[in-house]
Amino acid sequence: MIVAMQEKASEEQIDAVIEAMAEAGVNVHRTTGAAQTILAAVGSTANLDLSKFEVLPGVLHVHRISAPYKLAGRAFRPEGTVVEFANGAKIGGKQVAIIAGPCAIENREQIFKIAESVKGAGGQFLRGGAFKPRSSPYSFQGLGIPGLEMMYEAAQANGLATVTEVMEISQIEPMLPFTDCFQVGARNMQNFNLLRELGQVRKPVLLKRGIAATIEELLLSSEYIMSGGNYDVILCERGIRTYETATRNTMDIAAIPVVKKLSHLPIAADPSHGTGWRDMVPALAKAAVAAGADAILVEIHPNADKAASDAAQTMYLDQFEKLVGELRVIAQAVGRSL
Amino acid sequence: MIVAMQEKASEEQIDAVIEAMAEAGVNVHRTTGAAQTILAAVGSTANLDLSKFEVLPGVLHVHRISAPYKLAGRAFRPEGTVVEFANGAKIGGKQVAIIAGPCAIENREQIFKIAESVKGAGGQFLRGGAFKPRSSPYSFQGLGIPGLEMMYEAAQANGLATVTEVMEISQIEPMLPFTDCFQVGARNMQNFNLLRELGQVRKPVLLKRGIAATIEELLLSSEYIMSGGNYDVILCERGIRTYETATRNTMDIAAIPVVKKLSHLPIAADPSHGTGWRDMVPALAKAAVAAGADAILVEIHPNADKAASDAAQTMYLDQFEKLVGELRVIAQAVGRSL
Amino acid sequence: MIVAMQEKASEEQIDAVIEAMAEAGVNVHRTTGAAQTILAAVGSTANLDLSKFEVLPGVLHVHRISAPYKLAGRAFRPEGTVVEFANGAKIGGKQVAIIAGPCAIENREQIFKIAESVKGAGGQFLRGGAFKPRSSPYSFQGLGIPGLEMMYEAAQANGLATVTEVMEISQIEPMLPFTDCFQVGARNMQNFNLLRELGQVRKPVLLKRGIAATIEELLLSSEYIMSGGNYDVILCERGIRTYETATRNTMDIAAIPVVKKLSHLPIAADPSHGTGWRDMVPALAKAAVAAGADAILVEIHPNADKAASDAAQTMYLDQFEKLVGELRVIAQAVGRSL
Amino acid sequence: MIVAMQEKASEEQIDAVIEAMAEAGVNVHRTTGAAQTILAAVGSTANLDLSKFEVLPGVLHVHRISAPYKLAGRAFRPEGTVVEFANGAKIGGKQVAIIAGPCAIENREQIFKIAESVKGAGGQFLRGGAFKPRSSPYSFQGLGIPGLEMMYEAAQANGLATVTEVMEISQIEPMLPFTDCFQVGARNMQNFNLLRELGQVRKPVLLKRGIAATIEELLLSSEYIMSGGNYDVILCERGIRTYETATRNTMDIAAIPVVKKLSHLPIAADPSHGTGWRDMVPALAKAAVAAGADAILVEIHPNADKAASDAAQTMYLDQFEKLVGELRVIAQAVGRSL
């Protein structure tokens, strides 16, 4: 932490800041310039609330100079994390993983058809929602645990692992038998109680970036899970909210190399939510693989136009199968497999 | 709902869209122009997933022409909602309410001192956090129910009503005895399970706007609570996330008149989170009252610089008392009292 | 400038950074912590390109610790700037100024009617556009210099000063005789060639904030004008672009106190562009005055619905006159006059 | 254009809107529903100011149903535009073009070295700035026309075409002899006077997206140029401003397929400005090619760390040459050449 004092700061003000820093448990180094004094705290400052110092009299600015996360930082595991699943699939290694499925599990026939398509295309993960957080209280809300059972059966029959969204602590327990990977949705990225509980679970967590979250906040949220002992976290870029309305969200493809630089955690990309439009998904899926994504997550449905939710961004099965073939070529072009 | 067809749409495509609309239960009116065909659904379309139609072949755009909420709409209660509290205070009437307190309840002495200050200044609500959702897992996390008990006692002793944040369903029950108004924080604005439960409670809810939520989404979230039968909802503007970094968030003061126009619900303003800086709070609090806010919510602390969280945006008690005096003059200037 | 080195930075890397800093003409102070080394440049760094140092091997982050502007900074003129006009009006003093007029000057009758309304309401400035920068090439483009002549005559007849937008350098010369204050529109806020020329003119400049500009960038743009010797700059908040679509732009009311803190320049507010809707203008105009704005700029028209441009945000004359009366009460409530 | 009336709109209000629409020159079709009346204008509405109708009494919303641009629309040239240059290079065809050079032309040796690198890597365009619009008045401002001469000579010697930024109308004439393609920078995307003049020039224009511009606004700006008769416009995505600060801008990769769908114009991508960091450029350049970009624009410099401007985002020549090789593989993976 660096505290830059105002040019007109008095010696008393400077002393008060030094004292406050010492109280907070850091060592203070003072640089007295012709015009301005600078105080540097070189110790561990990850736990400090910087704004506390920023409001002290005579202070101009406070700058953080070390990242506020530890376990999620690249330095913690320079070689990178590879998350392994029961079915042998991995996320974070050389192979780019494919995670696909319907926004909502609707019935047995639907989910089995989809599972076969995922397997046929060469994917490893079946994803479907059983509890649907919809912005209108009048929309379809999901099948619940019976839906998950169906999906798990369909996944088992096709050698796939299941990924599904958990929305609150009380769901974790009943979901456990049918879930190979818990997804935390964008709206829950900062539901810290939920994250903490998932830190106690011994199953991987796919953590989606909040719609207005910075990459740093995404890493801090992963830290919540990891600080509980669960290091199997996969981050996921799924578009952020901007002023542009041509797409549902603005997919921040740069988040992929930024995460690779700052963290050891694998990073997935969800071009379905990222764009909101089926015909935009292929371009963005390819872009994500080219930029280094470790997994691609897409919404698919045998009768996409009639999907119970998110119809517009859901691909038909033949479109999906064609896309995976195209992604395979891109993966090879960047030195990976799929 | 209006479906505008592409100029080159075929008669078959048009028929297919008409059929899909009819299936969804609306009556369709067709306008055939020289170049373009337009299909209008004039019935109730609040429950429709518009994007479903947007992806049909030959469709150019789909426009919603009625608001997606009903109970929250101005038309539902044109005279406006006034929320009443046990201590006789009201939000939504002629008087502008003052809600103040610490970000986190720290100890008995702190919360009593603050309660006295709120009462002395002429405020009606004591607000404090017992469960603190912090973005870093290494920060102070709150006192829990014992903290709430302290606050409730301090409020009772000073004729104030209590406002405090609920973060998950399991907290509602134990919080009930000490809570006059449940606050739903920005991060939970779309925690629909929580909202649904609060619809069953018979206590008012202060619903904060999410950091990247539109005003329409805020109204949709209030609809979740109201659809359970709890109509005592107070909305709260607390700043949205933009590219500007001079303030912690960008306070969208226009949300106040927009909510007044679209909805009958009262609207509060939180300039502490809205700006993030103590010295910016007075200007924005005054602006909010001038723009028509029904309540002002500020963070205060007897020893603000040492507050356990949000120190930088927390006012000292004397600053707060001076501010309330200034707000009283503004309230009168816009024909209200305080 | 502070350069924070990475924890694993080598002694050679640190030496290279120190050398680069010295080459750039600053004195370097080194703090060697247990884990991390910090280099502080305490001299004048306003001209430095910080990113140059950020990419040097071993560097973690570079922080600016002094503002990148000088003439615009509060310290340059702690008492604040008051801009005076030929007709005796002032912006930046105790009185809140009213600047009003049509988006586009349309004809003699229109502009005279408006001028009389402004004078009658107690305003001091007549503002109208003669060169209209429209986003579509098929829209009305303005009357040009003959329009300005009409407006100047109407202003003279009513003791008002004129404010009008200049869009390129070649317009300055012909506009001079009819212009008491040059407005630089949001789209030209970073048209640095134009700003530089306006620095040579001896007439005040009203500089509007760009639609995606930070407050710091606004101050840097004012610095361009001031560095040419023209210190009579009035800044103007007119809304920024965010994801919210209920209003045309999101008015950043907090920019008013932020500018007051960082700079000595007066700050105006334009709620017409800030909201885009006539019925939102009063609430935001009041909010701006309550927050400390030095001037309010509104679009008015005797036949607002038929205005040649920006009809939706233009007020009728009687609405405007009523609004000024309301603003006068707010101004008094914050210790000013109008 | 669709005008949706409020549920409580009176017959008089409806008649007044119909009259206003007729006055504006469109045919009106009326749909009277049980609750709501809808008025559709099916004629040419590209020139209409929609907000004019939105403020009429009784109107709920006005929706545009046809794009506000014509010449830029895909339908105008369904086969797509291929822009051809003097040196035989094309943008918009099967081959992905490479445009590279320094942010600022500094001297003869620098620009010749760069030109040789571009040619060696297989690029077709040399890009460099002679007039530098910097946000601080104290930064380096460019060499002007003599710099352009140097660049033109270097380009000629290597069979390259030149691309350079024009900042105001008066520069067009002197730049003409040395310029194969005029670049319009992000800050001038809505400098409509400049765009109009470039519509008269018979040289291609590379039009960069404004930092807060929507894709629709970008297309409207291209319409300004095309409406003057110059159809050789290349659009360019270069990142938009969002709340994320990990990168200088947020590159909207989805803009590439969106432009391909809405328009016939070629689209380039500038990952240097898009990310602001040299080490992020490769990932985003690959993503852009994978998503369908027609050209990639990168900043390069033999001594990048000492570049006179934009040092942090400028690549070294060897990094650039390696990148072009990687992009070639991606181009082939999506069925193109490079």
Side-chain angles (χ1 to χ4, degrees):
Chain A
M1 183 180 61
I2 294 287
V3 179
M5 301 300 296
Q6 292 168 3
E7 297 205 1
K8 52 177 193 194
S10 68
E11 206 48 41
E12 287 72 41
Q13 292 175 329
I14 295 170
D15 286 347
V17 175
I18 291 174
E19 199 179 326
M21 292 170 77
E23 253 180 60
V26 297
N27 294 319
V28 185
H29 298 253
R30 174 175 178 169
T31 302
T32 309
Q36 198 174 11
T37 290
I38 287 160
L39 306 172
V42 215
S44 162
T45 58
N47 299 5
L48 290 186
D49 178 3
L50 267 62
S51 65
K52 246 185 184 163
F53 301 97
E54 196 134 12
V55 290
L56 295 182
V59 171
L60 183 67
H61 271 308
V62 179
H63 302 278
R64 182 180 289 288
I65 56 168
S66 55
Y69 44 81
K70 298 170 195 167
L71 304 174
R74 188 88 215 175
F76 182 74
R77 234 188 223 175
E79 74 284 10
T81 286
V82 179
V83 179
E84 299 190 29
F85 294 84
N87 68 335
K90 295 176 188 174
I91 298 183
K94 201 196 167 200
Q95 195 179 21
V96 178
I98 297 293
I99 307 169
C103 179
I105 305 161
E106 293 168 21
N107 56 58
R108 198 174 169 79
E109 195 201 338
Q110 175 229 33
I111 197 69
F112 268 81
K113 228 178 196 166
I114 291 172
E116 282 153 28
S117 174
V118 174
K119 185 196 182 179
Q124 304 85 2
F125 297 88
L126 181 63
R127 177 194 159 280
F131 306 97
K132 299 308 305 170
R134 310 297 298 281
S135 44
S136 165
Y138 309 114
S139 302
F140 174 67
Q141 311 275 333
L143 289 184
I145 295 294
L148 278 193
E149 286 193 51
M150 282 179 209
M151 180 167 76
Y152 190 68
E153 227 182 291
Q156 290 284 314
N158 290 281
L160 305 174
T162 61
V163 179
T164 192
E165 184 171 353
V166 58
M167 294 187 55
E168 49 172 61
I169 295 174
S170 65
Q171 295 171 345
I172 297 177
E173 193 73 25
M175 288 175 69
L176 263 177
F178 314 114
T179 305
D180 295 313
C181 178
F182 285 98
Q183 175 185 313
V184 175
R187 286 176 187 140
N188 277 315
M189 192 200 86
Q190 295 194 317
N191 183 336
F192 299 120
N193 295 312
L194 177 61
L195 299 181
R196 204 189 310 270
E197 285 301 314
L198 290 170
Q200 305 303 324
V201 170
R202 286 301 161 265
K203 294 235 169 140
V205 176
L206 180 85
L207 178 65
K208 284 195 158 190
R209 181 180 183 181
I211 203 176
T214 61
I215 297 169
E216 185 175 291
E217 288 168 340
L218 175 62
L219 292 174
L220 274 169
S221 284
S222 74
E223 187 95 357
Y224 257 94
I225 302 170
M226 299 176 81
S227 65
N230 185 355
Y231 288 4
D232 285 342
V233 179
I234 300 136
L235 305 174
C236 182
E237 164 61 31
R238 44 78 73 208
I240 58 172
R241 184 162 272 184
T242 70
Y243 64 84
E244 176 61 68
T245 57
T247 43
R248 183 174 171 181
N249 294 295
T250 297
M251 212 164 162
D252 181 11
I253 292 289
I256 298 167
V258 170
V259 163
K260 287 277 169 215
K261 186 179 177 183
L262 300 180
S263 175
H264 55 86
L265 295 173
I267 170 98
D270 172 357
S272 302
H273 285 87
T275 64
W277 299 108
R278 178 190 302 161
D279 59 354
M280 296 295 149
V281 170
L284 274 289
K286 290 181 213 172
V289 172
D294 295 304
I296 298 295
L297 197 151
V298 278
E299 292 195 335
I300 62 176
H301 194 290
N303 199 352
D305 282 337
K306 313 234 173 199
S309 69
D310 280 350
Q313 71 190 32
T314 299
M315 299 182 91
Y316 281 92
L317 302 187
D318 56 341
Q319 295 173 329
F320 162 68
E321 290 159 20
K322 179 166 171 284
L323 172 60
V324 177
E326 294 171 355
L327 294 181
R328 190 164 288 126
V329 185
I330 305 275
Q332 286 157 358
V334 293
R336 302 181 77 164
S337 63
L338 184 156
Chain B
M1 180 179 66
I2 295 286
V3 178
M5 302 298 298
Q6 292 168 3
E7 297 205 2
K8 52 177 194 197
S10 68
E11 207 47 41
E12 287 72 42
Q13 291 175 330
I14 295 170
D15 286 347
V17 175
I18 290 174
E19 201 179 325
M21 291 169 78
E23 252 180 61
V26 296
N27 294 319
V28 185
H29 297 253
R30 173 174 177 169
T31 301
T32 309
Q36 200 174 11
T37 290
I38 287 160
L39 305 171
V42 216
S44 162
T45 58
N47 299 5
L48 291 184
D49 177 1
L50 267 62
S51 66
K52 241 182 186 164
F53 300 95
E54 196 135 13
V55 290
L56 295 182
V59 171
L60 182 68
H61 272 308
V62 179
H63 302 278
R64 183 181 288 287
I65 57 169
S66 53
Y69 44 81
K70 297 169 196 165
L71 304 175
R74 187 88 214 174
F76 182 72
R77 233 188 225 176
E79 74 283 10
T81 286
V82 179
V83 180
E84 299 189 29
F85 294 83
N87 68 335
K90 296 174 186 175
I91 297 183
K94 203 199 166 199
Q95 195 180 22
V96 178
I98 297 294
I99 307 169
C103 179
I105 305 162
E106 293 168 19
N107 57 57
R108 201 175 166 78
E109 193 201 338
Q110 173 228 33
I111 197 69
F112 268 80
K113 228 180 197 163
I114 291 172
E116 282 153 29
S117 173
V118 175
K119 185 197 181 179
Q124 303 85 0
F125 297 89
L126 182 63
R127 179 194 158 280
F131 306 98
K132 299 311 304 170
R134 310 297 298 282
S135 44
S136 165
Y138 309 115
S139 303
F140 173 66
Q141 312 275 335
L143 289 184
I145 296 294
L148 278 194
E149 286 193 52
M150 281 177 209
M151 179 167 73
Y152 190 67
E153 227 183 292
Q156 289 284 315
N158 290 280
L160 306 175
T162 61
V163 179
T164 191
E165 184 170 355
V166 57
M167 295 187 54
E168 52 172 61
I169 295 174
S170 65
Q171 294 170 348
I172 297 178
E173 195 70 24
M175 287 175 70
L176 263 176
F178 315 114
T179 306
D180 295 313
C181 179
F182 285 99
Q183 176 185 313
V184 176
R187 284 174 188 143
N188 276 315
M189 192 202 82
Q190 295 195 316
N191 183 336
F192 298 120
N193 295 311
L194 178 60
L195 299 181
R196 206 188 309 272
E197 287 301 316
L198 289 170
Q200 306 302 324
V201 169
R202 288 298 163 267
K203 294 236 171 138
V205 176
L206 180 87
L207 179 64
K208 285 196 158 187
R209 181 180 184 180
I211 203 175
T214 61
I215 296 169
E216 184 174 291
E217 288 168 341
L218 175 62
L219 291 174
L220 274 169
S221 284
S222 74
E223 188 93 357
Y224 256 94
I225 302 170
M226 298 176 84
S227 65
N230 185 353
Y231 288 6
D232 285 342
V233 179
I234 300 137
L235 306 174
C236 182
E237 163 63 31
R238 45 75 76 208
I240 58 173
R241 183 164 273 184
T242 69
Y243 64 84
E244 176 60 69
T245 56
T247 43
R248 183 173 170 183
N249 294 295
T250 297
M251 211 164 164
D252 181 9
I253 292 289
I256 297 167
V258 169
V259 163
K260 288 277 168 213
K261 187 180 178 182
L262 300 180
S263 176
H264 55 84
L265 296 173
I267 172 99
D270 172 357
S272 301
H273 285 87
T275 63
W277 300 107
R278 178 189 302 162
D279 58 356
M280 295 294 149
V281 170
L284 273 290
K286 289 181 213 173
V289 171
D294 295 304
I296 297 295
L297 199 151
V298 280
E299 293 195 335
I300 61 176
H301 195 290
N303 199 351
D305 281 340
K306 312 235 171 195
S309 68
D310 281 348
Q313 71 192 32
T314 299
M315 300 181 89
Y316 282 91
L317 303 187
D318 55 341
Q319 294 174 328
F320 162 67
E321 290 158 21
K322 178 162 172 286
L323 172 60
V324 177
E326 294 171 353
L327 294 181
R328 190 163 288 129
V329 185
I330 305 274
Q332 286 158 357
V334 293
R336 300 181 77 165
S337 63
L338 186 158
Chain C
M1 182 179 64
I2 294 286
V3 179
M5 301 300 295
Q6 294 167 0
E7 297 204 3
K8 52 176 195 196
S10 69
E11 206 49 41
E12 287 73 40
Q13 290 175 331
I14 294 170
D15 286 348
V17 176
I18 292 174
E19 198 179 326
M21 291 170 79
E23 251 180 61
V26 298
N27 294 319
V28 185
H29 298 252
R30 174 175 178 167
T31 302
T32 309
Q36 200 175 11
T37 291
I38 287 161
L39 306 172
V42 214
S44 160
T45 59
N47 299 5
L48 289 185
D49 178 1
L50 266 63
S51 65
K52 244 183 183 163
F53 299 96
E54 196 134 14
V55 291
L56 295 182
V59 170
L60 181 68
H61 272 308
V62 179
H63 303 277
R64 181 180 290 288
I65 55 167
S66 54
Y69 44 81
K70 298 170 197 166
L71 304 175
R74 188 87 213 174
F76 182 72
R77 235 189 223 174
E79 73 285 9
T81 286
V82 179
V83 180
E84 300 190 28
F85 294 84
N87 68 334
K90 296 176 187 175
I91 297 182
K94 201 199 169 199
Q95 194 179 22
V96 178
I98 297 294
I99 308 170
C103 179
I105 304 162
E106 293 169 19
N107 57 58
R108 198 175 169 79
E109 194 200 336
Q110 174 229 30
I111 197 68
F112 268 81
K113 231 180 196 162
I114 292 171
E116 282 154 28
S117 174
V118 175
K119 186 197 180 179
Q124 303 84 1
F125 297 89
L126 182 62
R127 177 194 159 280
F131 306 98
K132 300 308 307 170
R134 310 298 297 280
S135 42
S136 164
Y138 308 115
S139 303
F140 174 67
Q141 311 276 333
L143 289 184
I145 296 294
L148 277 194
E149 286 193 50
M150 281 178 212
M151 179 166 75
Y152 190 67
E153 227 181 292
Q156 289 283 314
N158 289 281
L160 306 173
T162 60
V163 179
T164 191
E165 183 170 355
V166 57
M167 295 186 54
E168 51 172 61
I169 295 173
S170 64
Q171 294 170 347
I172 296 177
E173 194 71 24
M175 287 174 71
L176 263 176
F178 314 114
T179 306
D180 295 314
C181 179
F182 285 97
Q183 176 185 313
V184 175
R187 284 174 188 141
N188 276 314
M189 192 201 85
Q190 294 194 317
N191 183 336
F192 299 119
N193 295 311
L194 177 61
L195 299 181
R196 203 189 309 272
E197 286 302 315
L198 289 170
Q200 304 303 323
V201 170
R202 286 300 160 267
K203 294 234 170 140
V205 176
L206 180 86
L207 179 65
K208 286 194 157 190
R209 181 178 182 182
I211 203 176
T214 61
I215 296 169
E216 184 174 293
E217 288 167 341
L218 175 61
L219 292 174
L220 274 169
S221 285
S222 74
E223 187 94 355
Y224 256 94
I225 302 171
M226 298 176 83
S227 66
N230 185 355
Y231 289 3
D232 285 342
V233 179
I234 301 137
L235 306 174
C236 182
E237 163 62 30
R238 46 76 73 205
I240 58 173
R241 184 163 271 184
T242 70
Y243 64 84
E244 176 60 70
T245 57
T247 44
R248 183 173 171 183
N249 294 296
T250 297
M251 211 162 160
D252 181 10
I253 292 289
I256 298 168
V258 170
V259 163
K260 287 277 170 216
K261 186 179 177 183
L262 299 180
S263 175
H264 55 86
L265 296 173
I267 172 99
D270 172 358
S272 302
H273 286 86
T275 64
W277 299 108
R278 178 189 304 161
D279 58 354
M280 295 295 149
V281 169
L284 274 289
K286 289 182 215 173
V289 172
D294 294 305
I296 298 295
L297 198 151
V298 279
E299 293 195 335
I300 62 175
H301 195 290
N303 198 351
D305 282 339
K306 312 234 173 196
S309 69
D310 280 350
Q313 73 191 32
T314 299
M315 299 182 93
Y316 282 92
L317 302 187
D318 55 341
Q319 294 174 327
F320 162 68
E321 290 159 21
K322 178 164 171 284
L323 172 61
V324 177
E326 294 171 354
L327 294 181
R328 189 163 290 127
V329 185
I330 305 275
Q332 285 158 358
V334 292
R336 302 181 77 165
S337 63
L338 185 156
Chain D
M1 180 179 65
I2 295 285
V3 179
M5 301 298 298
Q6 294 168 1
E7 297 205 3
K8 51 174 197 198
S10 68
E11 207 46 42
E12 288 71 41
Q13 290 175 331
I14 295 171
D15 287 348
V17 174
I18 291 175
E19 201 179 324
M21 292 169 79
E23 250 181 62
V26 297
N27 294 318
V28 185
H29 298 254
R30 173 175 178 168
T31 301
T32 308
Q36 198 175 13
T37 290
I38 287 161
L39 307 172
V42 214
S44 161
T45 58
N47 299 6
L48 290 185
D49 178 2
L50 267 63
S51 66
K52 245 185 183 161
F53 300 97
E54 197 136 12
V55 289
L56 294 182
V59 171
L60 182 68
H61 271 309
V62 178
H63 301 279
R64 183 180 288 288
I65 56 169
S66 54
Y69 44 81
K70 298 168 196 167
L71 304 174
R74 187 88 213 175
F76 183 73
R77 233 187 224 175
E79 74 282 10
T81 287
V82 179
V83 180
E84 300 190 29
F85 294 84
N87 68 334
K90 295 174 188 175
I91 298 182
K94 202 198 167 200
Q95 195 180 20
V96 178
I98 296 293
I99 308 169
C103 178
I105 306 162
E106 292 168 20
N107 57 57
R108 200 177 168 80
E109 194 200 338
Q110 173 228 33
I111 196 69
F112 268 80
K113 228 177 197 166
I114 291 172
E116 282 153 28
S117 173
V118 174
K119 185 196 182 178
Q124 305 84 359
F125 297 88
L126 182 62
R127 178 194 158 282
F131 305 98
K132 299 309 304 171
R134 310 297 297 283
S135 43
S136 164
Y138 309 113
S139 302
F140 174 65
Q141 311 275 334
L143 289 185
I145 296 294
L148 278 194
E149 286 194 52
M150 281 179 209
M151 178 166 74
Y152 190 68
E153 227 182 294
Q156 289 284 313
N158 290 280
L160 306 175
T162 60
V163 179
T164 192
E165 183 171 356
V166 58
M167 294 187 55
E168 51 172 60
I169 295 174
S170 64
Q171 294 170 347
I172 297 177
E173 196 69 26
M175 288 174 70
L176 263 176
F178 314 113
T179 306
D180 295 313
C181 179
F182 285 98
Q183 175 185 315
V184 176
R187 285 174 188 143
N188 276 314
M189 192 203 84
Q190 293 194 316
N191 183 337
F192 299 120
N193 295 312
L194 177 61
L195 299 181
R196 204 189 309 271
E197 286 301 315
L198 290 170
Q200 305 304 324
V201 170
R202 288 300 161 267
K203 294 233 170 141
V205 176
L206 180 86
L207 178 65
K208 286 195 157 188
R209 181 179 185 183
I211 203 176
T214 61
I215 296 170
E216 184 175 292
E217 288 168 340
L218 175 62
L219 291 174
L220 274 169
S221 284
S222 75
E223 188 93 357
Y224 257 94
I225 301 170
M226 298 175 83
S227 66
N230 185 356
Y231 288 6
D232 285 343
V233 178
I234 301 136
L235 305 174
C236 182
E237 164 62 31
R238 44 77 75 208
I240 59 173
R241 182 163 275 185
T242 70
Y243 64 83
E244 176 60 68
T245 55
T247 44
R248 182 173 171 183
N249 294 296
T250 297
M251 213 163 161
D252 181 10
I253 292 289
I256 297 167
V258 170
V259 163
K260 286 279 169 214
K261 186 181 178 184
L262 300 180
S263 176
H264 54 85
L265 295 174
I267 172 95
D270 172 357
S272 301
H273 285 88
T275 63
W277 299 107
R278 178 189 302 162
D279 57 356
M280 296 295 150
V281 169
L284 274 289
K286 288 181 213 171
V289 171
D294 295 304
I296 297 295
L297 198 151
V298 280
E299 292 195 336
I300 61 177
H301 195 291
N303 198 350
D305 282 339
K306 313 232 173 197
S309 68
D310 281 349
Q313 71 191 35
T314 298
M315 300 182 89
Y316 281 90
L317 302 187
D318 55 342
Q319 294 174 327
F320 162 69
E321 289 158 22
K322 177 164 172 285
L323 171 60
V324 176
E326 294 171 353
L327 293 181
R328 191 164 287 128
V329 185
I330 305 274
Q332 286 158 357
V334 292
R336 301 182 77 166
S337 63
L338 184 157

